[in-house]
Amino acid sequence: MQESIEKAKILIESLPYMQKFRNKVVVIKYGGHAMVDEHLKRQFALDVILLKQIGINPVIVHGGGPQINRFLDRLDIKPSYVEGMRVTDGETMDVVEMVLVGKVNKEIVGLINHCGGKAVGLSGRDGDLVCARKLQMSSRAKGDDIKDAPPELIDLGRVGQVTKINPEVLESLSQADFIPVIAPVGVGEDGQAFNINADLVAGAIAGELAAEKLMLLTDVTGVKDRQGVLIASLSRQDIEPLIADGTLTGGMIPKVRCCEAALARGVAKTYIIDGRVEHAILLEMFTREGVGTEIC
């Protein structure tokens, strides 16, 4: 009996959050270990279904880097990266689109539907959902003797950056009680596909939809200080000093930048959370403690 009472207390604790977020949009970037571990995959699907059942509108944007690399390896194509961005020639783009849209996306949709939800898979090319242009990247040469040299342009191939989000298809799906699951492939003005970082797509969609929350699922506990202690909450004003003093480094910087941009576009709160934790989404949304780092 006591165990049942404790479960009831958990539900009561969650009630104010459920009421607060009803009819709100929550954008979730799904990636990392949570996409690989079979148990965590099922827990993720159930979490998303629960959100929809209680009146919250989840929108899923997924990655798939490891799955792409495995397929490239089978084709004897060696992946190449520049500052963490995948160099994407035409052949690689075909693989990216095939794996993300044709395999990973459909697996996520199938799992959600199998667990009792109603999901629909999309890429950014569907309904011109994610419009993009070629990403321009430059690198300045280092060294005192060449410090005044102009920056060197780096050609990443068909790597894109978001120029516009057309949300009509997402709004129609939401009104019909479907859960959108989006592969981060954008479309250029000439109709060609672009490979876009999933964090950036999630942030752009969250901004366009004025989402209540943007959650980035990662394989780390969140943002940590110089001593390795989790920072539970950050403001936008904290970001630059943390980058300047070396607290934020590597792959955490673009994630924090993504959150910063989403907040600037009207998203209420953003989160970097540990997708390796069971029910991480529910813990972050419906408990006082949460998991990971809140940036607001």
Side-chain angles (χ1 to χ4, degrees):
M1 178 62 72
Q2 187 60 40
E3 182 179 351
S4 298
I5 293 173
E6 292 302 320
K7 290 180 180 178
K9 288 180 179 179
I10 293 172
L11 290 173
I12 294 301
E13 180 185 338
S14 303
L15 181 58
Y17 301 102
M18 294 179 184
Q19 294 171 325
K20 180 179 179 180
F21 301 135
R22 184 170 179 80
N23 297 321
K24 302 292 187 179
V25 174
V26 175
V27 177
I28 303 167
K29 188 273 178 152
Y30 180 40
H33 196 67
M35 283 184 64
V36 179
D37 182 277
E38 291 299 324
H39 180 68
L40 291 176
K41 286 163 63 174
R42 180 175 174 79
Q43 300 309 314
F44 172 83
L46 294 173
D47 286 1
V48 169
I49 293 168
L50 178 59
L51 294 183
K52 192 67 177 178
Q53 288 295 317
I54 62 177
I56 298 170
N57 296 312
V59 175
I60 314 302
V61 179
H62 65 83
Q67 293 90 332
I68 293 170
N69 286 342
R70 284 198 294 270
F71 204 93
L72 289 173
D73 186 59
R74 289 167 57 186
L75 298 176
D76 201 26
I77 300 174
K78 186 176 181 180
S80 177
Y81 297 88
V82 175
E83 297 184 16
M85 305 291 288
R86 183 190 299 274
V87 178
T88 309
D89 58 16
E91 187 177 23
T92 302
M93 187 66 232
D94 289 342
V95 172
V96 167
E97 192 164 19
M98 179 176 62
V99 172
L100 288 182
V101 181
K103 187 176 190 298
V104 176
N105 186 273
K106 303 312 175 190
E107 288 178 351
I108 298 169
V109 168
L111 180 60
I112 293 173
N113 291 341
H114 177 71
C115 291
K118 291 172 56 181
V120 172
L122 303 165
S123 83
R125 301 178 78 179
D126 293 317
D128 286 346
L129 171 60
V130 181
C131 297
R133 65 169 177 260
K134 185 180 176 70
L135 177 66
Q136 301 295 326
M137 179 177 285
S138 61
S139 177
R140 187 172 294 277
K142 296 180 180 180
D144 294 338
D145 55 335
I146 53 176
K147 64 181 179 180
D148 295 326
E152 176 188 357
L153 294 179
I154 301 173
D155 187 359
L156 296 174
R158 288 165 64 177
V159 174
Q161 63 185 73
V162 178
T163 58
K164 183 181 180 182
I165 300 294
N166 292 309
E168 292 84 2
V169 64
L170 299 181
E171 293 166 351
S172 297
L173 289 172
S174 178
Q175 291 170 6
D177 285 333
F178 285 101
I179 300 168
V181 180
I182 304 163
V185 175
V187 59
E189 290 184 355
D190 58 358
Q192 72 172 336
F194 282 102
N195 178 25
I196 310 177
N197 178 278
D199 290 341
L200 300 181
V201 172
I205 290 175
E208 183 63 33
L209 297 177
E212 181 71 18
K213 294 176 181 287
L214 167 66
M215 295 186 177
L216 306 181
L217 269 63
T218 68
D219 284 344
V220 295
T221 55
V223 179
K224 297 180 180 179
D225 63 19
R226 299 293 292 274
Q227 288 71 45
V229 178
L230 177 68
I231 302 175
S233 182
L234 291 173
S235 70
R236 291 172 61 191
Q237 291 71 29
D238 295 325
I239 292 174
E240 291 302 331
L242 290 175
I243 293 175
D245 70 11
T247 300
L248 292 175
T249 59
M252 188 57 72
I253 293 177
K255 292 186 182 299
V256 170
R257 291 289 192 205
C258 169
C259 293
E260 183 181 35
L263 290 168
R265 294 192 62 182
V267 176
K269 290 185 178 180
T270 65
Y271 303 83
I272 298 173
I273 63 177
D274 191 348
R276 300 169 299 178
V277 176
E278 287 189 41
H279 302 298
I281 295 171
L282 301 185
L283 290 171
E284 185 56 65
M285 290 198 65
F286 301 136
T287 66
R288 297 185 184 92
E289 297 79 11
V291 290
T293 299
E294 173 190 83
I295 304 176
C296 57

